[in-house]
Amino acid sequence: MKKKYYIETQGCQMNEYDSDKMKDLLKKNMDFEPTLAKEEADILIVNTCSIREKAQEKVFSLLGQWRKLKNKKPDLVIGVAGCVASQESSEISLRAPYVDMVIGPQTIHRLPEIYKDSLKSNKTVIDVEFPLIEKFDNLPSVTEAKFSEFVTIMEGCSKYCSYCVVPYTRGTEVSRPLNDILEEIDILVKNGTKEIILLGQNVNAYFYDDGKGNFVNFGLLLFYIARNKGIKRIRYTTSHPNNFDEQTFLAYEKIPQLVSHLHLPIQSGSDRVLAAMKRGYTVLEYKSIIRKLKKIRPEMTFSSDFIVGFPGETDNDFSQTIELIKEIEFEQSYSFIYSKRPGTPAASLEDNISEDKKKERLNYLQSTINSLSKERSKSIIGKNVEILVEGVSSKYNDMVTGRTTNNKIINIPGTEKLIGKLLKIHVTELNNKTLKGEVLTT
Ligand code: 5AD
Ligand code: SF4
């Protein structure tokens, strides 16, 4: 009988991607099979996030539960992967010595060896190095492809915003070779993928130099990718305002497959706070990117990341954030209360804002964005739009869910046969938060 694995994933899309790759390794290289029942598993892995304190504490409480399973089944192998593994490697072996493997975000491809070593050792095996781009050369190749697939083009971050742990946990920016990316996409498309989502901590910091005088930046990469005519849509996440190159603007002009929605983190609408965060741009500079994009594509919509309650943020700073949200009409956000992270420069700043005030600001910010989103949804009722069908609706099993180029989710009657199709539809109603429509052509 095959051994079984169970992986729990916390945090961002990079972690989702890494977990998928660990699952591939377990199935293809280690002959394990998946299980949904933790009690049945021979190997349990949690892929962790340390961006905020709460996420990190969750890991230790989960490990406490898994310890009980190990007491009943001493052969059980427990692994901690991801950013908490990277940041707290020795702390984990101290606080939770029953953990067998600690695997950093850049060493997941070494899982088969780390696993073997852990079987031989009675101590926690730790491997949290940053071995450049070795990871991608050692992952199993693609054999099955969904209609929408993530493709990692770069890893890490070299921005060192004053509040953030990512440069320390995932390492500095490293780009994958152009040909590796194009080949991976080619295989995915040949296996049925229609939508490519380029993934990286700062995708538009992508820069590959082949050492022979040829180089490619993010904008050029988009042009290379768009040459594959099997791709119906190209999306990317996450980008940084300081890395917008001229070729990327040109890509919005020339590449229709590139969607008219951009997630561009700003964090705050106050220059004072942005400077304290060491973001490296002003509100005006951010707005000039938006203005240029809207000039090229007036229909373009935007979403962003925000941190509220950064040390020293005044009511006035916060109002500037709200004004900016209304001006740009952000429709979605990843917004959180600032969390002090040990080892980051901002950790030494005095946290002078009360918890209640932080919560109040976060609620206000989120409700402002929600109402802008609702307004936009209302504005497309009665209009004809195009959607790419993603899957069967989670609420209604006689409907499928698709996404417009502006990232609006719309349900239409239909079955899974429509998945992966680009359809012209007529938007009929907004029910609660759900948009519904009817197909015009198939
Ligand atoms: N506290 C709160 N939010 C944070 N982020 C990063 N570090 C912190 C922190 N210390 C948020 C930022 C970033 C997103 C990935 O997570 O908004 O864009
Ligand atoms: Fe963190 Fe700033 Fe890098 Fe984003 S750009 S991952 S917030 S350091």
Side-chain angles (χ1 to χ4, degrees):
M1 213 171 67
K2 282 190 180 184
K3 290 195 167 184
K4 295 190 168 65
Y5 71 82
Y6 176 92
I7 299 188
E8 177 156 333
T9 307
Q10 304 173 340
C12 66
Q13 280 152 333
M14 304 290 289
N15 270 10
E16 296 284 348
Y17 181 93
D18 286 348
S19 290
D20 281 350
K21 298 294 168 191
M22 284 194 279
K23 289 173 191 171
D24 276 356
L25 282 166
L26 283 155
K27 280 186 279 195
K28 294 177 189 160
N29 299 30
M30 298 164 72
D31 206 28
F32 274 65
E33 64 183 13
T35 176
L36 293 174
K38 289 173 216 166
E39 305 72 32
E40 251 181 47
D42 301 285
I43 184 167
L44 287 173
I45 298 177
V46 56
N47 197 5
T48 61
C49 168
S50 62
I51 204 123
R52 285 170 294 275
E53 191 181 354
K54 256 202 196 128
Q56 189 160 334
E57 278 314 307
K58 250 178 35 193
V59 176
F60 285 100
S61 68
L62 180 77
L63 288 175
Q65 294 166 24
W66 287 6
R67 178 189 203 164
K68 291 183 195 140
L69 296 174
K70 189 157 177 159
N71 286 344
K72 286 193 210 142
K73 188 176 180 178
D75 286 348
L76 176 65
V77 172
I78 298 181
V80 179
C83 288
V84 176
S86 172
Q87 217 185 8
E88 305 284 334
S89 50
S90 38
E91 176 79 12
I92 293 170
S93 54
L94 285 177
R95 264 177 85 175
Y98 49 89
V99 168
D100 303 280
M101 311 183 292
V102 174
I103 311 161
Q106 306 301 355
T107 47
I108 53 159
H109 59 284
R110 296 184 185 159
L111 176 64
E113 291 84 56
I114 300 173
Y115 172 70
K116 270 191 213 141
D117 290 349
S118 80
L119 296 179
K120 284 185 247 153
S121 164
N122 51 6
K123 285 208 206 97
T124 311
V125 178
I126 301 176
D127 189 349
V128 293
E129 281 179 19
F130 295 143
L132 285 175
I133 213 77
E134 168 192 305
K135 168 172 160 182
F136 296 97
D137 295 336
N138 290 284
L139 291 170
S141 55
V142 179
T143 47
E144 52 192 280
K146 297 186 286 297
F147 96 92
S148 176
E149 288 276 357
F150 287 108
V151 173
T152 298
I153 60 164
M154 58 82 68
E155 283 251 4
C157 179
S158 309
K159 302 291 188 291
Y160 295 95
C161 300
S162 64
Y163 50 82
C164 183
V165 288
V166 169
Y168 313 102
T169 59
R170 283 197 171 256
T172 48
E173 289 158 2
V174 185
S175 297
R176 284 180 75 191
L178 172 68
N179 283 338
D180 290 6
I181 296 171
L182 297 180
E183 268 167 37
E184 184 173 325
I185 292 178
D186 195 41
I187 298 172
L188 288 169
V189 171
K190 282 194 179 124
N191 281 282
T193 296
K194 304 273 190 274
E195 177 180 71
I196 297 288
I197 309 173
L198 304 175
L199 195 59
Q201 224 74 48
N202 275 309
V203 284
N204 57 346
Y206 179 83
F207 191 86
Y208 180 68
D209 181 343
D210 70 357
K212 296 177 203 146
N214 304 306
F215 67 87
V216 49
N217 61 13
F218 182 65
L220 287 170
L221 175 68
L222 291 172
F223 279 93
Y224 278 110
I225 292 172
R227 292 208 298 210
N228 187 328
K229 293 299 166 218
I231 303 173
K232 292 188 179 169
R233 265 195 192 163
I234 304 171
R235 289 158 60 187
Y236 60 84
T237 189
T238 290
S239 51
H240 192 286
N242 285 0
N243 291 119
F244 256 86
D245 52 62
E246 282 308 313
Q247 285 80 5
T248 300
F249 290 110
L250 199 61
Y252 280 98
E253 230 175 283
K254 305 279 185 200
I255 305 177
Q257 302 95 301
L258 189 59
V259 294
S260 288
H261 176 83
L262 174 65
H263 182 80
L264 187 61
I266 183 161
Q267 314 297 355
S268 166
S270 152
D271 283 338
R272 232 176 47 82
V273 176
L274 288 175
M277 289 177 165
K278 299 237 173 334
R279 288 290 291 177
Y281 53 81
T282 61
V283 174
L284 199 62
E285 282 164 338
Y286 182 95
K287 285 203 282 196
S288 90
I289 299 170
I290 305 283
R291 198 176 328 113
K292 263 171 116 169
L293 289 169
K294 280 204 154 169
K295 206 168 156 203
I296 300 166
R297 292 197 187 180
E299 75 285 11
M300 190 129 170
T301 60
F302 302 90
S303 57
S304 201
D305 289 355
F306 297 92
I307 296 177
V308 301
F310 189 77
E313 183 189 64
T314 61
D315 284 341
N316 184 31
D317 292 321
F318 180 67
S319 314
Q320 290 180 45
T321 302
I322 296 296
E323 284 316 304
L324 182 87
I325 288 171
K326 290 181 182 160
E327 189 180 331
I328 298 183
E329 299 180 23
F330 286 115
E331 296 193 11
Q332 277 162 313
S333 75
Y334 290 103
S335 40
F336 295 97
I337 290 174
Y338 166 71
S339 171
K340 182 172 174 166
R341 306 313 291 128
T344 60
S348 60
L349 299 174
E350 193 200 343
D351 187 357
N352 54 353
I353 309 163
S354 73
E355 268 323 290
D356 282 350
K357 186 121 207 159
K358 288 177 192 166
K359 283 188 189 144
E360 195 185 304
R361 284 182 186 167
L362 184 67
N363 286 340
Y364 191 76
L365 183 147
Q366 290 177 339
S367 64
T368 307
I369 291 177
N370 286 345
S371 55
L372 286 167
S373 173
K374 200 166 178 186
E375 282 310 306
R376 176 88 60 177
S377 294
K378 274 192 203 154
S379 77
I380 60 171
I381 297 172
K383 298 222 166 99
N384 296 342
V385 295
E386 191 176 61
I387 60 166
L388 180 62
V389 179
E390 294 189 350
V392 176
S393 151
S394 54
K395 268 199 206 150
Y396 315 96
N397 54 14
D398 56 347
M399 295 193 105
V400 290
T401 292
R403 203 182 284 260
T404 70
T405 183
N406 290 126
N407 219 32
K408 280 284 181 206
I409 308 270
I410 304 180
N411 284 344
I412 54 163
T415 64
E416 71 247 1
K417 278 191 207 137
L418 295 178
I419 295 173
K421 290 215 159 107
L422 269 176
L423 300 176
K424 283 253 158 42
I425 65 154
H426 182 71
V427 185
T428 51
E429 60 176 302
L430 176 67
N431 194 342
N432 239 331
K433 279 184 183 163
T434 314
L435 279 163
K436 286 188 184 164
E438 286 159 0
V439 186
L440 290 172
T441 54
T442 42

